[in-house]
Amino acid sequence: MMDSSSSSDDLKRTACQMAWKELARDNPQGAAEALHHLAEESAKDEVIAEVWVAMLGWVDDLDHLEREIRRIASRMAKVSKVVSQISLTIHKAWSRQSGSLPPAPRESLIGLGVDLLDFCIESAPPPKPKDRAELYLRRAQLLCWAGPLADERALLDYEVALSLVEDHSEGWFMLARLHLQRGRWEKAALAAIESKKRGFDELRVGWMLS
């Protein structure tokens, strides 16, 4: 007979799977319905925290988003998967703002995301190279919002990530995009070609090279 603990874990796992499926359908409301009974555990359970943070990517109120991220990060700052998802959510929310954005200030969501990644990389680096590379890529992605002054650090993060996982096609594409944004056409082309060689979306790479 299944004990109550196993039954509870199965229910949590099912709810998280349902939430991920709803987010893949661009349906955050469906994800919220699947997770509503797990709200109190969103800063305690790593699996729930990861999908909860992903769901926050649809939140437009940046103040509310920051409060939620700080709440979860207070317990999950050493959990690389959750920290990586936090950075993706911040990137998604920041890029959704309208108009031409100035460099993100230090006291912003971008700065918060970079601080969390700094802490996780320094205090609890994951053992697998792929997972470590993911943190460096996500930090570089956020640093790109900080403007040209953060270029050197972003480039270093891309180099570290790609030295850990050379076949990371998205990493090469992200590096190419940074070079392109800064007008380094030849370097952008070379990085885009590397991305294409490693199987990244040919249409997106082709647009960049055109």
Side-chain angles (χ1 to χ4, degrees):
M1 183 175 179
M2 185 178 294
D3 60 37
S4 59
S5 176
S6 297
S7 177
S8 176
D9 287 344
D10 287 343
L11 289 172
K12 290 178 186 178
R13 189 180 308 112
T14 299
C16 290
Q17 290 172 348
M18 289 178 59
W20 281 118
K21 288 180 181 178
E22 292 302 324
L23 294 180
R25 298 187 184 110
D26 195 25
N27 182 20
Q29 183 59 41
E33 291 172 2
L35 296 173
H36 76 279
H37 63 292
L38 299 174
E40 291 186 1
E41 297 185 60
S42 60
K44 301 175 183 177
D45 184 289
E46 296 176 13
V47 176
I48 297 169
E50 185 179 2
V51 66
W52 189 277
V53 170
M55 182 176 66
L56 294 175
W58 278 261
V59 172
D60 290 321
D61 184 338
L62 296 186
D63 290 334
H64 174 68
L65 177 58
E66 181 173 346
R67 287 193 297 273
E68 276 291 281
I69 286 175
R70 288 187 181 279
R71 179 181 68 82
I72 292 172
S74 68
R75 302 283 294 274
M76 296 284 169
K78 290 187 177 182
V79 182
S80 63
K81 286 188 176 181
V82 176
V83 172
S84 180
Q85 186 59 60
I86 285 173
S87 71
L88 283 169
T89 291
I90 290 174
H91 172 72
K92 182 176 181 179
W94 200 263
S95 62
R96 202 164 52 239
Q97 297 179 85
S98 61
S100 179
L101 298 175
R106 182 70 181 78
E107 300 78 15
S108 68
L109 265 176
I110 297 297
L112 173 60
V114 171
D115 285 345
L116 287 172
L117 286 158
D118 287 347
F119 180 80
C120 190
I121 289 170
E122 294 170 9
S123 302
K128 294 182 180 179
K130 182 179 179 181
D131 294 336
R132 291 203 304 278
E134 183 72 14
L135 293 179
Y136 282 103
L137 285 173
R138 295 307 155 205
R139 186 168 67 181
Q141 187 178 47
L142 293 185
L143 286 167
C144 289
W145 288 109
L149 291 177
D151 269 9
E152 185 175 347
R153 193 176 176 202
L155 286 169
L156 180 59
D157 276 355
Y158 281 129
E159 289 174 2
V160 172
L162 294 170
S163 71
L164 289 167
V165 183
E166 188 176 348
D167 287 334
H168 201 302
S169 61
E170 184 191 5
W172 284 106
F173 182 79
M174 292 164 66
L175 175 59
R177 188 164 55 186
L178 174 59
H179 284 315
L180 185 64
Q181 289 171 346
R182 304 298 184 247
R184 299 186 286 261
W185 316 116
E186 185 175 348
K187 290 182 178 181
L190 290 172
I193 290 170
E194 290 294 331
S195 175
K196 184 177 180 181
K197 283 166 56 178
R198 288 163 171 78
F200 197 72
D201 189 312
E202 289 193 17
L203 287 176
R204 293 178 70 183
V205 176
W207 171 83
M208 180 175 288
L209 293 174
S210 63

